[in-house]
Amino acid sequence: MLLVALFFCGLTAQAQQCEGGLYLNPQVIRGEGASQTESALKELVDFIRPTGLSVTPVINIRETQDVLTAVKKPAPPCWVYGNPVVGLASGYRPVAVNMDPIQSAVLILADIGTVKDGKPVELKTLPAAEQAKVLAKLKTTSCFGMKSGVTTSLVKAENFCGTVVEILPQQGLGQSYLPTKAAFHWQADRWAGLITRLQSAQAATMKSHHGTDERIHMAQLVIVPTSNASWGYGLYVHPSAPADVMKKAASLFDSLKNANPLLLKALDLGAKFDFETPSDAVVEAMKKSLAFGP
């Protein structure tokens, strides 16, 4: 009887090693309302449940500090689903991450030009002397990005900007708040930087934005891309999770093909995605790209 009791106590202790999960909800990053964020959370929980991972409770998080606090609890989360900034900060094992690359860039709101609401130009298209001047001035410029965002971390790792101002994601605002912050910071003699994905920077215009100085519409826009890219959202699992559970989770994401649109949004996936379990070498390289590693 004593052996049986000890056996069940051992099972209970193992079961209590972790509970539930953490979710960097992309709907919050986008600035969606409460109903959309709740829907995304439900989609994620329903998708994760068949793996055998605990799904009670699953908590929406907004930044790295939320993860660092949670993993120190007596019963830490069993998994984290989010970008590599929060995922790698947890110290958990990346089991399935979307390897479709995310390229980051700074969109500079620069000097007054001659074209109203002009299209952005890439740094590499400028003469070498002009490129040097832009990069030097960027070193004294404030750049605005999402707190704990991949694009922000890539820019910080390459030390492009004089100051990086990180905006905390919140419902109703999200990434749409960044152009507003940059536009109101900009003055005719003071540049501002907007940290975003390269594709978004290439399509940017100041046409629908306003600032303290209406000459913002005459500001020249210059794109400075980062050298390194990042992978996308993924599942990071607590080290105590059984091997068969990790295998089942990896298989679940690997077999994800024709998912419904709500699930794709909940997983932060676009038309293209490619889930893999990254090797240790790939993980170490990503840590360096995001300034996690030495």
Side-chain angles (χ1 to χ4, degrees):
M1 288 295 293
L2 179 59
L3 288 174
V4 172
L6 289 173
F7 174 76
F8 278 103
C9 284
L11 286 181
T12 303
Q14 184 177 15
Q16 290 178 344
Q17 282 183 356
C18 67
E19 60 181 24
L22 301 180
Y23 181 30
L24 185 69
N25 198 323
Q27 304 299 93
V28 176
I29 308 297
R30 296 189 191 106
E32 301 286 357
S35 61
Q36 288 93 335
T37 58
E38 289 171 6
S39 174
L41 179 61
K42 182 179 183 303
E43 290 289 336
L44 177 70
V45 168
D46 289 345
F47 181 69
I48 293 289
R49 184 176 281 112
T51 65
L53 288 167
S54 171
V55 290
T56 305
V58 178
I59 301 169
N60 282 317
I61 59 171
R62 294 194 295 170
E63 60 165 320
T64 307
Q65 187 56 52
D66 296 334
V67 179
L68 298 178
T69 300
V71 298
K72 293 177 182 176
K73 292 181 177 179
C78 294
W79 51 272
V80 179
Y81 188 79
N83 67 27
V85 177
V86 299
L88 294 174
S90 69
Y92 290 6
R93 179 181 175 184
V95 169
V97 296
N98 178 17
M99 301 302 291
D100 197 46
I102 295 172
Q103 183 70 53
S104 178
V106 177
L107 176 68
I108 303 173
L109 283 54
D111 294 329
I112 292 175
T114 58
V115 179
K116 184 177 181 181
D117 297 321
K119 294 181 179 180
V121 298
E122 295 208 29
L123 180 72
K124 64 184 179 182
T125 66
L126 301 176
E130 187 65 20
Q131 291 185 36
K133 288 181 181 179
V134 169
L135 292 175
K137 181 116 183 222
L138 185 55
K139 285 283 189 182
T140 68
T141 298
S142 293
C143 298
F144 297 85
M146 297 302 293
K147 190 173 182 63
S148 300
V150 162
T151 51
T152 302
S153 294
L154 287 169
V155 168
K156 287 175 66 177
E158 296 194 23
N159 294 314
F160 280 163
C161 306
T163 303
V164 173
V165 181
E166 298 184 79
I167 309 300
L168 192 65
Q170 56 184 303
Q171 291 177 345
L173 291 176
Q175 293 167 324
S176 63
Y177 192 43
L178 294 180
T180 301
K181 291 286 290 185
F184 272 89
H185 179 79
W186 180 90
Q187 294 178 3
D189 60 348
R190 184 176 69 188
W191 289 9
L194 168 62
I195 301 173
T196 184
R197 296 193 182 197
L198 178 59
Q199 298 92 324
S200 299
Q202 291 168 335
T205 174
M206 296 310 295
K207 190 171 184 178
S208 61
H209 297 290
H210 301 279
T212 52
D213 188 335
E214 280 304 303
R215 288 178 294 176
I216 185 67
H217 294 282
M218 301 300 294
Q220 299 175 73
L221 305 179
V222 182
I223 300 170
V224 181
T226 56
S227 299
N228 297 319
S230 168
W231 63 52
Y233 265 56
L235 181 71
Y236 299 76
V237 178
H238 191 279
S240 69
D244 63 322
V245 171
M246 290 195 184
K247 184 177 180 180
K248 193 178 294 185
S251 177
L252 182 68
F253 280 91
D254 185 54
S255 62
L256 182 64
K257 302 299 179 188
N258 298 317
N260 69 70
L262 289 178
L263 177 59
L264 291 179
K265 286 186 177 181
L267 299 176
D268 196 47
L269 304 179
K272 290 174 53 184
F273 55 88
D274 176 27
F275 279 100
E276 296 180 12
T277 301
S279 66
D280 291 343
V282 171
V283 171
E284 289 306 311
M286 183 54 59
K287 286 180 179 179
K288 290 180 180 179
S289 292
L290 297 174
F292 275 100

